[in-house]
PDB file of all heavy atoms in Angstrom:
ATOM      1  N   HIS A   1       2.545  -7.979-110.182  1.00  0.00           N
ATOM      2  CA  HIS A   1       3.556  -7.946-109.145  1.00  0.00           C
ATOM      3  C   HIS A   1       4.918  -8.499-109.638  1.00  0.00           C
ATOM      4  O   HIS A   1       5.015  -9.522-109.989  1.00  0.00           O
ATOM      5  CB  HIS A   1       3.070  -8.776-107.960  1.00  0.00           C
ATOM      6  CG  HIS A   1       1.751  -8.287-107.366  1.00  0.00           C
ATOM      7  ND1 HIS A   1       1.496  -7.014-107.079  1.00  0.00           N
ATOM      8  CD2 HIS A   1       0.647  -9.038-107.035  1.00  0.00           C
ATOM      9  CE1 HIS A   1       0.250  -6.915-106.556  1.00  0.00           C
ATOM     10  NE2 HIS A   1      -0.252  -8.126-106.495  1.00  0.00           N
ATOM     11  N   ASP A   2       5.858  -7.535-109.553  1.00  0.00           N
ATOM     12  CA  ASP A   2       7.270  -7.973-110.153  1.00  0.00           C
ATOM     13  C   ASP A   2       8.214  -8.325-109.038  1.00  0.00           C
ATOM     14  O   ASP A   2       9.018  -9.283-109.267  1.00  0.00           O
ATOM     15  CB  ASP A   2       7.784  -6.844-110.901  1.00  0.00           C
ATOM     16  CG  ASP A   2       9.123  -7.126-111.609  1.00  0.00           C
ATOM     17  OD1 ASP A   2       9.158  -8.072-112.358  1.00  0.00           O
ATOM     18  OD2 ASP A   2      10.082  -6.439-111.273  1.00  0.00           O
ATOM     19  N   ARG A   3       8.229  -7.645-107.839  1.00  0.00           N
ATOM     20  CA  ARG A   3       9.115  -7.923-106.767  1.00  0.00           C
ATOM     21  C   ARG A   3       8.359  -7.990-105.521  1.00  0.00           C
ATOM     22  O   ARG A   3       7.542  -7.191-105.293  1.00  0.00           O
ATOM     23  CB  ARG A   3      10.244  -6.877-106.704  1.00  0.00           C
ATOM     24  CG  ARG A   3      11.135  -6.925-107.954  1.00  0.00           C
ATOM     25  CD  ARG A   3      12.160  -5.793-108.005  1.00  0.00           C
ATOM     26  NE  ARG A   3      13.083  -5.796-106.852  1.00  0.00           N
ATOM     27  CZ  ARG A   3      14.078  -6.676-106.815  1.00  0.00           C
ATOM     28  NH1 ARG A   3      14.421  -7.513-107.761  1.00  0.00           N
ATOM     29  NH2 ARG A   3      14.937  -6.596-105.773  1.00  0.00           N
ATOM     30  N   PHE A   4       8.728  -9.073-104.739  1.00  0.00           N
ATOM     31  CA  PHE A   4       7.953  -9.338-103.471  1.00  0.00           C
ATOM     32  C   PHE A   4       8.650 -10.283-102.675  1.00  0.00           C
ATOM     33  O   PHE A   4       9.555 -10.998-103.050  1.00  0.00           O
ATOM     34  CB  PHE A   4       6.539  -9.996-103.928  1.00  0.00           C
ATOM     35  CG  PHE A   4       6.579 -10.849-105.099  1.00  0.00           C
ATOM     36  CD1 PHE A   4       7.014 -12.195-104.870  1.00  0.00           C
ATOM     37  CD2 PHE A   4       6.305 -10.472-106.379  1.00  0.00           C
ATOM     38  CE1 PHE A   4       7.174 -13.102-105.956  1.00  0.00           C
ATOM     39  CE2 PHE A   4       6.412 -11.379-107.457  1.00  0.00           C
ATOM     40  CZ  PHE A   4       6.810 -12.734-107.200  1.00  0.00           C
ATOM     41  N   ALA A   5       8.262 -10.279-101.313  1.00  0.00           N
ATOM     42  CA  ALA A   5       8.675 -11.338-100.428  1.00  0.00           C
ATOM     43  C   ALA A   5       7.895 -12.514-100.605  1.00  0.00           C
ATOM     44  O   ALA A   5       6.686 -12.481-100.866  1.00  0.00           O
ATOM     45  CB  ALA A   5       8.691 -10.781 -99.024  1.00  0.00           C
ATOM     46  N   VAL A   6       8.444 -13.754-100.366  1.00  0.00           N
ATOM     47  CA  VAL A   6       7.636 -14.968-100.448  1.00  0.00           C
ATOM     48  C   VAL A   6       7.778 -15.746 -99.074  1.00  0.00           C
ATOM     49  O   VAL A   6       8.848 -15.796 -98.562  1.00  0.00           O
ATOM     50  CB  VAL A   6       8.263 -15.919-101.497  1.00  0.00           C
ATOM     51  CG1 VAL A   6       7.426 -17.204-101.539  1.00  0.00           C
ATOM     52  CG2 VAL A   6       8.203 -15.276-102.854  1.00  0.00           C
ATOM     53  N   VAL A   7       6.586 -16.000 -98.546  1.00  0.00           N
ATOM     54  CA  VAL A   7       6.481 -16.688 -97.248  1.00  0.00           C
ATOM     55  C   VAL A   7       5.812 -18.007 -97.485  1.00  0.00           C
ATOM     56  O   VAL A   7       4.633 -18.038 -98.114  1.00  0.00           O
ATOM     57  CB  VAL A   7       5.652 -15.926 -96.290  1.00  0.00           C
ATOM     58  CG1 VAL A   7       5.542 -16.586 -94.916  1.00  0.00           C
ATOM     59  CG2 VAL A   7       6.272 -14.495 -96.018  1.00  0.00           C
ATOM     60  N   ALA A   8       6.412 -19.112 -97.145  1.00  0.00           N
ATOM     61  CA  ALA A   8       5.927 -20.450 -97.573  1.00  0.00           C
ATOM     62  C   ALA A   8       6.069 -21.422 -96.516  1.00  0.00           C
ATOM     63  O   ALA A   8       6.974 -21.396 -95.634  1.00  0.00           O
ATOM     64  CB  ALA A   8       6.600 -20.892 -98.897  1.00  0.00           C
ATOM     65  N   THR A   9       5.176 -22.509 -96.564  1.00  0.00           N
ATOM     66  CA  THR A   9       5.267 -23.533 -95.549  1.00  0.00           C
ATOM     67  C   THR A   9       5.082 -24.854 -96.234  1.00  0.00           C
ATOM     68  O   THR A   9       4.404 -25.021 -97.268  1.00  0.00           O
ATOM     69  CB  THR A   9       4.199 -23.354 -94.533  1.00  0.00           C
ATOM     70  OG1 THR A   9       4.337 -24.259 -93.470  1.00  0.00           O
ATOM     71  CG2 THR A   9       2.780 -23.481 -95.058  1.00  0.00           C
ATOM     72  N   SER A  10       5.577 -25.894 -95.691  1.00  0.00           N
ATOM     73  CA  SER A  10       5.537 -27.308 -96.093  1.00  0.00           C
ATOM     74  C   SER A  10       5.876 -27.428 -97.658  1.00  0.00           C
ATOM     75  O   SER A  10       6.862 -26.855 -98.058  1.00  0.00           O
ATOM     76  CB  SER A  10       4.172 -27.787 -95.748  1.00  0.00           C
ATOM     77  OG  SER A  10       4.051 -29.243 -95.848  1.00  0.00           O
ATOM     78  N   ASN A  11       5.012 -28.123 -98.422  1.00  0.00           N
ATOM     79  CA  ASN A  11       5.319 -28.260 -99.834  1.00  0.00           C
ATOM     80  C   ASN A  11       5.210 -26.958-100.547  1.00  0.00           C
ATOM     81  O   ASN A  11       5.731 -26.808-101.652  1.00  0.00           O
ATOM     82  CB  ASN A  11       4.515 -29.274-100.447  1.00  0.00           C
ATOM     83  CG  ASN A  11       5.000 -30.730-100.288  1.00  0.00           C
ATOM     84  OD1 ASN A  11       4.232 -31.656-100.187  1.00  0.00           O
ATOM     85  ND2 ASN A  11       6.313 -30.935-100.290  1.00  0.00           N
ATOM     86  N   GLY A  12       4.631 -25.967 -99.972  1.00  0.00           N
ATOM     87  CA  GLY A  12       4.593 -24.592-100.513  1.00  0.00           C
ATOM     88  C   GLY A  12       6.005 -24.013-100.531  1.00  0.00           C
ATOM     89  O   GLY A  12       6.334 -23.204-101.439  1.00  0.00           O
ATOM     90  N   ALA A  13       6.898 -24.466 -99.631  1.00  0.00           N
ATOM     91  CA  ALA A  13       8.268 -24.070 -99.643  1.00  0.00           C
ATOM     92  C   ALA A  13       8.922 -24.626-100.787  1.00  0.00           C
ATOM     93  O   ALA A  13       9.886 -23.941-101.435  1.00  0.00           O
ATOM     94  CB  ALA A  13       8.927 -24.504 -98.372  1.00  0.00           C
ATOM     95  N   ASN A  14       8.718 -25.837-101.259  1.00  0.00           N
ATOM     96  CA  ASN A  14       9.248 -26.373-102.430  1.00  0.00           C
ATOM     97  C   ASN A  14       8.833 -25.660-103.690  1.00  0.00           C
ATOM     98  O   ASN A  14       9.667 -25.406-104.582  1.00  0.00           O
ATOM     99  CB  ASN A  14       8.830 -27.891-102.564  1.00  0.00           C
ATOM    100  CG  ASN A  14       9.344 -28.757-101.425  1.00  0.00           C
ATOM    101  OD1 ASN A  14       8.560 -29.255-100.673  1.00  0.00           O
ATOM    102  ND2 ASN A  14      10.639 -28.913-101.278  1.00  0.00           N
ATOM    103  N   VAL A  15       7.606 -25.258-103.691  1.00  0.00           N
ATOM    104  CA  VAL A  15       7.162 -24.394-104.784  1.00  0.00           C
ATOM    105  C   VAL A  15       7.868 -23.035-104.824  1.00  0.00           C
ATOM    106  O   VAL A  15       8.247 -22.546-105.893  1.00  0.00           O
ATOM    107  CB  VAL A  15       5.593 -24.223-104.756  1.00  0.00           C
ATOM    108  CG1 VAL A  15       5.101 -23.290-105.915  1.00  0.00           C
ATOM    109  CG2 VAL A  15       4.873 -25.582-104.877  1.00  0.00           C
ATOM    110  N   ALA A  16       7.954 -22.496-103.655  1.00  0.00           N
ATOM    111  CA  ALA A  16       8.682 -21.159-103.586  1.00  0.00           C
ATOM    112  C   ALA A  16      10.109 -21.251-104.073  1.00  0.00           C
ATOM    113  O   ALA A  16      10.565 -20.417-104.825  1.00  0.00           O
ATOM    114  CB  ALA A  16       8.602 -20.676-102.188  1.00  0.00           C
ATOM    115  N   LEU A  17      10.838 -22.306-103.622  1.00  0.00           N
ATOM    116  CA  LEU A  17      12.139 -22.443-104.011  1.00  0.00           C
ATOM    117  C   LEU A  17      12.363 -22.681-105.521  1.00  0.00           C
ATOM    118  O   LEU A  17      13.296 -22.156-106.184  1.00  0.00           O
ATOM    119  CB  LEU A  17      12.840 -23.580-103.172  1.00  0.00           C
ATOM    120  CG  LEU A  17      13.143 -23.243-101.755  1.00  0.00           C
ATOM    121  CD1 LEU A  17      13.512 -24.492-100.938  1.00  0.00           C
ATOM    122  CD2 LEU A  17      14.226 -22.168-101.591  1.00  0.00           C
ATOM    123  N   GLU A  18      11.475 -23.588-106.056  1.00  0.00           N
ATOM    124  CA  GLU A  18      11.552 -23.797-107.476  1.00  0.00           C
ATOM    125  C   GLU A  18      11.135 -22.619-108.258  1.00  0.00           C
ATOM    126  O   GLU A  18      11.821 -22.249-109.345  1.00  0.00           O
ATOM    127  CB  GLU A  18      10.593 -24.935-107.895  1.00  0.00           C
ATOM    128  CG  GLU A  18      10.482 -25.205-109.337  1.00  0.00           C
ATOM    129  CD  GLU A  18      11.741 -25.661-110.033  1.00  0.00           C
ATOM    130  OE1 GLU A  18      12.685 -26.048-109.358  1.00  0.00           O
ATOM    131  OE2 GLU A  18      11.800 -25.550-111.310  1.00  0.00           O
ATOM    132  N   TYR A  19      10.188 -21.816-107.770  1.00  0.00           N
ATOM    133  CA  TYR A  19       9.903 -20.512-108.441  1.00  0.00           C
ATOM    134  C   TYR A  19      11.074 -19.601-108.526  1.00  0.00           C
ATOM    135  O   TYR A  19      11.494 -19.034-109.537  1.00  0.00           O
ATOM    136  CB  TYR A  19       8.722 -19.865-107.725  1.00  0.00           C
ATOM    137  CG  TYR A  19       8.529 -18.420-108.231  1.00  0.00           C
ATOM    138  CD1 TYR A  19       7.769 -18.120-109.368  1.00  0.00           C
ATOM    139  CD2 TYR A  19       9.004 -17.343-107.568  1.00  0.00           C
ATOM    140  CE1 TYR A  19       7.577 -16.891-109.843  1.00  0.00           C
ATOM    141  CE2 TYR A  19       8.793 -16.025-107.958  1.00  0.00           C
ATOM    142  CZ  TYR A  19       8.102 -15.813-109.132  1.00  0.00           C
ATOM    143  OH  TYR A  19       7.922 -14.583-109.615  1.00  0.00           O
ATOM    144  N   ASN A  20      11.762 -19.531-107.354  1.00  0.00           N
ATOM    145  CA  ASN A  20      12.886 -18.616-107.231  1.00  0.00           C
ATOM    146  C   ASN A  20      14.077 -19.128-108.209  1.00  0.00           C
ATOM    147  O   ASN A  20      14.752 -18.278-108.823  1.00  0.00           O
ATOM    148  CB  ASN A  20      13.528 -18.619-105.824  1.00  0.00           C
ATOM    149  CG  ASN A  20      14.782 -17.699-105.764  1.00  0.00           C
ATOM    150  OD1 ASN A  20      14.720 -16.489-105.746  1.00  0.00           O
ATOM    151  ND2 ASN A  20      15.870 -18.430-105.622  1.00  0.00           N
ATOM    152  N   ARG A  21      14.192 -20.425-108.360  1.00  0.00           N
ATOM    153  CA  ARG A  21      15.271 -20.957-109.282  1.00  0.00           C
ATOM    154  C   ARG A  21      14.830 -20.741-110.695  1.00  0.00           C
ATOM    155  O   ARG A  21      15.761 -20.247-111.507  1.00  0.00           O
ATOM    156  CB  ARG A  21      15.435 -22.462-108.963  1.00  0.00           C
ATOM    157  CG  ARG A  21      16.533 -23.109-109.815  1.00  0.00           C
ATOM    158  CD  ARG A  21      16.404 -24.603-110.027  1.00  0.00           C
ATOM    159  NE  ARG A  21      15.203 -24.898-110.747  1.00  0.00           N
ATOM    160  CZ  ARG A  21      15.114 -24.909-112.108  1.00  0.00           C
ATOM    161  NH1 ARG A  21      16.134 -24.429-112.844  1.00  0.00           N
ATOM    162  NH2 ARG A  21      13.974 -25.216-112.701  1.00  0.00           N
ATOM    163  N   ALA A  22      13.655 -21.010-111.100  1.00  0.00           N
ATOM    164  CA  ALA A  22      13.243 -20.940-112.491  1.00  0.00           C
ATOM    165  C   ALA A  22      12.862 -19.560-112.918  1.00  0.00           C
ATOM    166  O   ALA A  22      13.068 -19.268-114.200  1.00  0.00           O
ATOM    167  CB  ALA A  22      11.998 -21.877-112.689  1.00  0.00           C
ATOM    168  N   TYR A  23      12.477 -18.697-112.047  1.00  0.00           N
ATOM    169  CA  TYR A  23      12.112 -17.306-112.383  1.00  0.00           C
ATOM    170  C   TYR A  23      12.864 -16.314-111.503  1.00  0.00           C
ATOM    171  O   TYR A  23      12.187 -15.713-110.602  1.00  0.00           O
ATOM    172  CB  TYR A  23      10.573 -17.199-112.337  1.00  0.00           C
ATOM    173  CG  TYR A  23       9.852 -18.292-113.070  1.00  0.00           C
ATOM    174  CD1 TYR A  23       9.465 -19.399-112.483  1.00  0.00           C
ATOM    175  CD2 TYR A  23       9.692 -18.123-114.471  1.00  0.00           C
ATOM    176  CE1 TYR A  23       8.796 -20.466-113.147  1.00  0.00           C
ATOM    177  CE2 TYR A  23       9.056 -19.218-115.169  1.00  0.00           C
ATOM    178  CZ  TYR A  23       8.617 -20.340-114.503  1.00  0.00           C
ATOM    179  OH  TYR A  23       8.014 -21.264-115.247  1.00  0.00           O
ATOM    180  N   PRO A  24      14.156 -16.234-111.579  1.00  0.00           N
ATOM    181  CA  PRO A  24      14.947 -15.504-110.660  1.00  0.00           C
ATOM    182  C   PRO A  24      14.654 -13.952-110.750  1.00  0.00           C
ATOM    183  O   PRO A  24      14.179 -13.469-111.813  1.00  0.00           O
ATOM    184  CB  PRO A  24      16.368 -15.825-110.989  1.00  0.00           C
ATOM    185  CG  PRO A  24      16.291 -16.117-112.463  1.00  0.00           C
ATOM    186  CD  PRO A  24      14.949 -16.861-112.633  1.00  0.00           C
ATOM    187  N   GLY A  25      14.980 -13.257-109.669  1.00  0.00           N
ATOM    188  CA  GLY A  25      14.841 -11.772-109.741  1.00  0.00           C
ATOM    189  C   GLY A  25      13.582 -11.188-109.192  1.00  0.00           C
ATOM    190  O   GLY A  25      13.441  -9.956-109.107  1.00  0.00           O
ATOM    191  N   HIS A  26      12.600 -12.000-108.888  1.00  0.00           N
ATOM    192  CA  HIS A  26      11.367 -11.579-108.368  1.00  0.00           C
ATOM    193  C   HIS A  26      11.252 -11.596-106.845  1.00  0.00           C
ATOM    194  O   HIS A  26      10.660 -10.684-106.211  1.00  0.00           O
ATOM    195  CB  HIS A  26      10.167 -12.269-109.017  1.00  0.00           C
ATOM    196  CG  HIS A  26      10.151 -12.148-110.494  1.00  0.00           C
ATOM    197  ND1 HIS A  26       9.820 -11.011-111.155  1.00  0.00           N
ATOM    198  CD2 HIS A  26      10.386 -13.093-111.482  1.00  0.00           C
ATOM    199  CE1 HIS A  26       9.874 -11.176-112.418  1.00  0.00           C
ATOM    200  NE2 HIS A  26      10.237 -12.472-112.686  1.00  0.00           N
ATOM    201  N   ALA A  27      11.711 -12.675-106.267  1.00  0.00           N
ATOM    202  CA  ALA A  27      11.627 -12.779-104.806  1.00  0.00           C
ATOM    203  C   ALA A  27      12.806 -11.965-104.172  1.00  0.00           C
ATOM    204  O   ALA A  27      13.904 -12.146-104.510  1.00  0.00           O
ATOM    205  CB  ALA A  27      11.739 -14.255-104.384  1.00  0.00           C
ATOM    206  N   VAL A  28      12.396 -11.035-103.255  1.00  0.00           N
ATOM    207  CA  VAL A  28      13.411 -10.108-102.587  1.00  0.00           C
ATOM    208  C   VAL A  28      13.698 -10.644-101.321  1.00  0.00           C
ATOM    209  O   VAL A  28      14.696 -10.172-100.639  1.00  0.00           O
ATOM    210  CB  VAL A  28      12.915  -8.694-102.618  1.00  0.00           C
ATOM    211  CG1 VAL A  28      12.644  -8.139-103.999  1.00  0.00           C
ATOM    212  CG2 VAL A  28      11.637  -8.532-101.811  1.00  0.00           C
ATOM    213  N   ALA A  29      12.941 -11.542-100.730  1.00  0.00           N
ATOM    214  CA  ALA A  29      13.177 -12.173 -99.444  1.00  0.00           C
ATOM    215  C   ALA A  29      12.367 -13.391 -99.331  1.00  0.00           C
ATOM    216  O   ALA A  29      11.312 -13.449-100.012  1.00  0.00           O
ATOM    217  CB  ALA A  29      12.882 -11.107 -98.283  1.00  0.00           C
ATOM    218  N   MET A  30      12.761 -14.404 -98.592  1.00  0.00           N
ATOM    219  CA  MET A  30      12.066 -15.681 -98.589  1.00  0.00           C
ATOM    220  C   MET A  30      12.053 -16.187 -97.085  1.00  0.00           C
ATOM    221  O   MET A  30      13.066 -16.233 -96.427  1.00  0.00           O
ATOM    222  CB  MET A  30      12.742 -16.712 -99.455  1.00  0.00           C
ATOM    223  CG  MET A  30      12.913 -16.304-100.840  1.00  0.00           C
ATOM    224  SD  MET A  30      13.361 -17.615-102.036  1.00  0.00           S
ATOM    225  CE  MET A  30      11.768 -18.495-102.218  1.00  0.00           C
ATOM    226  N   ALA A  31      10.817 -16.583 -96.668  1.00  0.00           N
ATOM    227  CA  ALA A  31      10.657 -17.006 -95.275  1.00  0.00           C
ATOM    228  C   ALA A  31       9.995 -18.419 -95.341  1.00  0.00           C
ATOM    229  O   ALA A  31       8.994 -18.523 -96.086  1.00  0.00           O
ATOM    230  CB  ALA A  31       9.792 -16.029 -94.466  1.00  0.00           C
ATOM    231  N   PHE A  32      10.460 -19.338 -94.487  1.00  0.00           N
ATOM    232  CA  PHE A  32       9.920 -20.607 -94.480  1.00  0.00           C
ATOM    233  C   PHE A  32       9.704 -21.086 -93.009  1.00  0.00           C
ATOM    234  O   PHE A  32      10.467 -20.825 -92.110  1.00  0.00           O
ATOM    235  CB  PHE A  32      10.865 -21.693 -95.132  1.00  0.00           C
ATOM    236  CG  PHE A  32      11.372 -21.254 -96.479  1.00  0.00           C
ATOM    237  CD1 PHE A  32      12.575 -20.603 -96.670  1.00  0.00           C
ATOM    238  CD2 PHE A  32      10.578 -21.490 -97.600  1.00  0.00           C
ATOM    239  CE1 PHE A  32      13.060 -20.174 -97.940  1.00  0.00           C
ATOM    240  CE2 PHE A  32      11.011 -21.062 -98.852  1.00  0.00           C
ATOM    241  CZ  PHE A  32      12.205 -20.492 -98.986  1.00  0.00           C
ATOM    242  N   SER A  33       8.554 -21.747 -92.798  1.00  0.00           N
ATOM    243  CA  SER A  33       8.301 -22.336 -91.531  1.00  0.00           C
ATOM    244  C   SER A  33       8.515 -23.828 -91.542  1.00  0.00           C
ATOM    245  O   SER A  33       9.112 -24.387 -90.649  1.00  0.00           O
ATOM    246  CB  SER A  33       6.848 -22.033 -90.987  1.00  0.00           C
ATOM    247  OG  SER A  33       5.852 -22.273 -92.005  1.00  0.00           O
ATOM    248  N   MET A  34       7.922 -24.599 -92.484  1.00  0.00           N
ATOM    249  CA  MET A  34       8.198 -25.921 -92.692  1.00  0.00           C
ATOM    250  C   MET A  34       8.961 -26.053 -94.025  1.00  0.00           C
ATOM    251  O   MET A  34       8.519 -25.587 -95.005  1.00  0.00           O
ATOM    252  CB  MET A  34       6.837 -26.805 -92.782  1.00  0.00           C
ATOM    253  CG  MET A  34       6.018 -26.742 -91.495  1.00  0.00           C
ATOM    254  SD  MET A  34       6.890 -27.605 -90.125  1.00  0.00           S
ATOM    255  CE  MET A  34       7.087 -26.225 -89.013  1.00  0.00           C
ATOM    256  N   LEU A  35      10.109 -26.794 -93.973  1.00  0.00           N
ATOM    257  CA  LEU A  35      10.945 -26.720 -95.208  1.00  0.00           C
ATOM    258  C   LEU A  35      11.450 -28.068 -95.479  1.00  0.00           C
ATOM    259  O   LEU A  35      12.566 -28.520 -95.013  1.00  0.00           O
ATOM    260  CB  LEU A  35      12.178 -25.800 -94.797  1.00  0.00           C
ATOM    261  CG  LEU A  35      13.148 -25.557 -96.021  1.00  0.00           C
ATOM    262  CD1 LEU A  35      12.481 -24.927 -97.189  1.00  0.00           C
ATOM    263  CD2 LEU A  35      14.347 -24.693 -95.486  1.00  0.00           C
ATOM    264  N   PRO A  36      10.763 -28.831 -96.399  1.00  0.00           N
ATOM    265  CA  PRO A  36      11.169 -30.168 -96.740  1.00  0.00           C
ATOM    266  C   PRO A  36      12.297 -30.239 -97.771  1.00  0.00           C
ATOM    267  O   PRO A  36      12.011 -30.400 -99.040  1.00  0.00           O
ATOM    268  CB  PRO A  36       9.877 -30.784 -97.228  1.00  0.00           C
ATOM    269  CG  PRO A  36       9.059 -29.745 -97.649  1.00  0.00           C
ATOM    270  CD  PRO A  36       9.457 -28.480 -96.864  1.00  0.00           C
TER     271      PRO A  36
END
């Protein structure tokens, strides 16, 4: 999977944001419910 939307909650949101920063160009949209 090369391009995808990321849906994350709680500390999973921190993982999603770090993934997007460190490995840019793969997340095409990002959704968060709990965002620390």
